[in-house]
């Protein structure tokens, strides 16, 4: 009973059997251990005719392939799974945030955003992974600084800003600092001149301790928004066109666009591409960043307002990301549903292995 209570207390997100796993399943440990779909060793599944079968590499292998990334609830009802177990490990974490000191420093803020995107392939190749977000104008503060004096205020909560939390497994905080040092030197000229920059490091004895402190946060529910996404590979993140793409994606401040960074690619996610029974979109195997863009609308907004937001997300912002990374795709669990014009938009064609 104590074990079940521990699992209930720890769980602050989606479960591991449904659409999360069956669509791919990213999480804070994915870079180290692989996507959720790649953890499944076998599954008990109810078919449309009512039969209950065991899907594995040895029996019903086509169904095993399909449910491991092919889409939640599409091929059968998954009753149970046998999954891999991994030993716990220490985790070092970095929390980085920055914001323009005032609106005249927006160009410098965008320069720093581009610098961070350029850095992510190297950081992930060296073991970092995590999540972040940024916005030109957020309804709530993104960056907090309780010691900064701005005019007559004694603190400053920035609604324009960037923040990420990155983790590195089996390493110390000192190692994490060493890996990030070259990029911190690139940001240093902005610090205190055009941007407020804050960076901290911490260490945790176990993954559960890290998750409970920095990652297991329940997101608010009940809001209305349109979202779209794209998986971005190293070529896209270091492209000369990246700055222009990010300008289009974030849009104007009055749009209140939120850009969310899922930085779990590379590592084991890339290595698991060799698994012949993986139904995950192959774009995951080359991507570093799953880039999600979202816009909402005020309560009671009319259909024309909502449709304009959907159109902007799908036809402007997602299209800009697609132009930057034409050969990747999107994560089906967080894809724009209004414009699936080819298999690369959501469901890359995969040939399953022979039985």
């Amino acid at each position: 009973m104590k074990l079940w209570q521990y699992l209930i207390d720890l769980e602050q997100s989606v479960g591991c059997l449904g659409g999360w796993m069956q669509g791919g399943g990213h999480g804070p440990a994915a870079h180290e251990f692989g996507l959720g779909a790649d953890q499944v060793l076998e599954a008990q599944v109810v078919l449309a005719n009512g039969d209950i079968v065991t899907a594995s590499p040895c029996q019903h292998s086509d169904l095993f392939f399909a449910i491991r990334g092919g889409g939640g609830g599409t091929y059968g009802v998954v009753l149970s799974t046998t999954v891999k177990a991994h030993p716990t490990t220490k985790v070092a974490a970095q929390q980085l945030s920055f914001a323009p000191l005032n609106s005249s420093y927006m160009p410098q803020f965008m320069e720093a955003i581009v610098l961070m995107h350029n850095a992510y392939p190297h950081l992930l190749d060296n073991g970092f992974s995590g999540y972040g977000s940024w916005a030109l104008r957020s309804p709530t503060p993104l960056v907090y600084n309780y010691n900064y004096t701005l005019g007559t205020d004694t603190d400053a909560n920035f609604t324009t800003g960037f923040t990420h939390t990155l983790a590195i497994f089996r390493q110390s905080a000192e190692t994490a600092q060493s890996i990030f040092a070259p990029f911190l030197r690139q940001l240093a000229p902005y610090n205190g001149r055009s941007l407020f920059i804050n960076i901290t490091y911490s260490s945790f004895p176990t993954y559960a301790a890290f998750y409970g402190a920095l990652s297991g946060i329940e997101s608010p529910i009940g809001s209305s928004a349109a979202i779209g996404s794209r998986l971005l590979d190293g070529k896209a993140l270091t492209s000369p066109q990246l700055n222009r793409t990010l300008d289009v994606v974030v849009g104007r401040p009055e749009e209140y666009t939120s850009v969310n960074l899922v930085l779990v690619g590379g590592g084991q996610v890339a290595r698991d591409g060799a698994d012949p029974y993986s139904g995950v979109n192959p774009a995951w195997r080359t991507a570093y960043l799953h880039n999600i863009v979202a816009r909402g609308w005020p309560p009671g907004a009319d259909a024309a307002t909502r449709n304009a937001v959907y159109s902007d997300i799908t036809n402007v912002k997602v299209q800009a990301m697609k132009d930057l990374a034409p050969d990747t795709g999107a994560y089906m669990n967080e894809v724009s549903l209004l414009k699936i014009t080819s298999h690369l938009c959501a469901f890359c064609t995969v040939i399953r292995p022979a039985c």
Side-chain angles (χ1 to χ4, degrees), residues 19-349:
W20 176 82
M21 176 275 288
Q22 294 172 56
H26 64 74
H31 179 275
E32 185 71 15
F33 301 118
L35 295 169
D38 295 327
Q39 308 308 307
V40 179
L41 299 173
E42 69 173 29
Q44 195 174 41
V45 184
V46 181
L47 303 181
N49 63 4
D51 289 347
I52 299 177
V53 302
T54 298
S56 73
C58 302
Q59 52 186 325
H60 300 284
S61 58
D62 53 348
L63 178 62
F64 182 64
F65 166 84
I67 64 171
R68 296 173 78 235
T74 305
Y75 307 99
V77 178
V78 177
L79 298 179
S80 66
T81 59
T82 301
V83 298
K84 300 174 185 176
H86 303 281
T88 192
T89 178
K90 67 179 182 180
V91 179
Q94 180 213 67
Q95 293 174 278
L96 170 69
S97 59
F98 56 80
L101 297 180
N102 60 55
S103 59
S104 68
Y105 294 116
M106 293 301 291
Q108 289 82 358
F109 174 69
M110 291 304 298
E111 288 173 10
I113 294 286
V114 172
L115 282 175
M116 281 312 310
H117 283 70
N118 291 164
Y120 283 136
H122 177 84
L123 293 174
L124 270 65
D125 283 342
N126 281 274
F128 274 111
S129 64
Y131 291 79
S133 64
W134 64 282
L136 295 186
R137 184 180 295 165
S138 172
T140 57
L142 278 173
V143 177
Y144 297 88
N145 176 24
Y146 299 106
N147 298 312
Y148 177 73
T149 300
L150 184 64
T152 58
D153 296 331
T154 57
D155 59 42
N157 297 332
F158 299 94
T159 56
T160 299
F162 166 97
T163 182
H164 77 206
T165 297
L166 300 183
I168 185 167
F169 287 64
R170 287 189 281 270
Q171 300 294 338
S172 65
E174 291 75 20
T175 298
Q177 291 181 59
S178 176
I179 294 171
F180 194 79
F183 305 103
L184 186 58
R185 287 193 291 270
Q186 293 183 47
L187 292 173
Y190 299 95
N191 194 17
R193 297 180 177 89
S194 55
L195 304 180
F196 162 74
I197 299 178
N198 185 57
I199 184 168
T200 61
Y201 291 88
S202 50
S203 298
F204 300 90
T206 65
Y207 173 73
F210 157 75
Y211 185 88
L214 296 182
S215 190
I217 300 172
E218 184 74 27
S219 299
I221 61 173
S223 59
S224 299
I227 71 166
S229 69
R230 194 74 179 174
L231 292 161
L232 302 182
D233 56 14
K235 181 180 178 181
L237 291 173
T238 55
S239 168
Q241 302 303 316
L242 177 65
N243 58 343
R244 171 58 182 159
T245 300
L246 295 180
D247 284 341
V248 174
V249 168
V250 76
R252 303 182 307 276
E254 58 268 26
E255 294 176 359
Y256 287 93
T257 303
S258 172
V259 184
N260 298 292
L261 311 174
V262 179
L263 296 153
V264 300
Q268 193 60 41
V269 174
R271 291 189 289 271
D272 281 338
D275 182 352
Y277 294 100
S278 174
V280 168
N281 184 337
W284 270 111
R285 309 309 183 183
T286 58
Y288 289 99
L289 169 62
H290 166 39
N291 203 54
I292 307 170
V293 58
R295 281 187 62 193
W297 47 79
D302 59 24
T305 299
R306 299 194 303 271
N307 289 338
V309 173
Y310 276 115
S311 178
D312 176 58
I313 289 290
T314 304
N315 300 319
V316 178
K317 300 182 189 306
V318 171
Q319 185 60 49
M321 292 190 287
K322 186 177 179 182
D323 292 342
L324 180 70
D327 299 322
T328 61
Y331 176 44
M332 67 170 61
N333 284 355
E334 288 153 346
V335 70
S336 172
L337 299 178
L338 297 186
K339 190 178 180 183
I340 301 177
T341 58
S342 73
H343 68 274
L344 281 178
C345 283
F347 318 107
C348 276
T349 300

